[in-house]
């Protein structure tokens, strides 16, 4: 898996918002075929970043007993 950065994600979002499919960041340039391709890449990176930074959910059931029942 490639490690994506917030810098890359920000550059992709800026390009999508401006209506262009050419993205430049960290001295690299990438041309996407369409806005849909660019949006798909944004969503992929968002899911990957969210999956690695999201804390694990906590679930459970607390039970109490008085000891006489």
């Amino acid at each position: 898996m490639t490690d994506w950065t917030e810098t890359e994600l920000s550059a992709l979002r800026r390009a999508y918002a401006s209506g262009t499919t050419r993205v430049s960041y960290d001295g690299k340039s990438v041309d996407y075929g369409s806005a849909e391709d660019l949006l798909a890449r944004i969503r992929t990176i968002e899911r990957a970043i969210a999956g690695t930074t999201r804390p694990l959910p906590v679930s459970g059931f607390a039970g109490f007993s008085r000891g006489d029942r």
Side-chain angles (χ1 to χ4, degrees):
M1 178 179 139
T2 304
D3 293 322
W4 292 296
T5 64
E6 288 291 336
T7 303
E8 180 180 1
L9 183 56
S10 295
L12 291 166
R13 287 176 175 159
R14 280 192 307 274
Y16 185 76
S18 69
T20 185
T21 57
R22 185 172 186 81
V23 180
S24 297
Y25 62 94
D26 293 338
K28 304 172 190 172
S29 291
V30 180
D31 247 333
Y32 290 89
S34 67
E36 290 79 23
D37 292 342
L38 181 56
L39 185 60
R41 180 68 164 184
I42 291 169
R43 297 295 179 239
T44 298
I45 295 172
E46 286 174 339
R47 280 192 302 273
I49 289 174
T52 60
T53 60
R54 184 183 312 156
L56 294 174
V58 177
S59 64
F61 179 76
F64 300 95
S65 174
R66 294 185 345 192
D68 61 349
R69 295 180 191 195

